[in-house]
Amino acid sequence: MDKMNQLVQEVLAESDRLARLAEPADYEVYVRLTERRQALAEEVQARSTVSEAEKALLSSIGQYDEILLSHMQMLKEEAASGIQRIIGSRKLKEGYGYTGTHESIMFDKGV
């Protein structure tokens, strides 16, 4: 099996697996998939011709795009929400003059 067909099969298998998940996988998985797709695109560009069968395989990858993009969008929104919580927490700490160190002294009444 040549490099392009191997890449197509890898991308199709991983796209299918990720599309079947009810919830998005970790973002690293999508990064690896994107890198594989980029390698595939570079392999296609390096070829002088692409057969009709290869074109059909390549176009079948697109059937997963919508669901994969929605999973990636969910991860993006989750990350944005987390960043907003961190920013809000920092603003709250700054508003109360919290420096992160406690310089108070406790006294025991010595009953």
Side-chain angles (χ1 to χ4, degrees), residues 4-45:
M4 188 174 101
N5 284 332
Q6 180 183 352
L7 285 169
V8 168
Q9 294 305 321
E10 289 173 9
V11 169
L12 279 171
E14 186 65 359
S15 296
D16 184 62
R17 185 185 76 78
L18 293 172
R20 292 179 187 276
L21 297 176
E23 294 290 320
D26 292 333
Y27 81 94
E28 292 94 356
V29 175
Y30 295 99
V31 170
R32 284 191 299 272
L33 177 62
T34 302
E35 289 169 350
R36 276 283 176 222
R37 287 179 69 141
Q38 181 61 39
L40 177 58
E42 290 169 4
E43 183 66 25
V44 170
Q45 288 176 347

Side-chain angles (χ1 to χ4, degrees), residues 4 47 49-56:
M4 188 174 101
R47 289 179 167 231
T49 61
V50 178
S51 72
E52 290 303 315
E54 291 170 332
K55 287 179 184 178

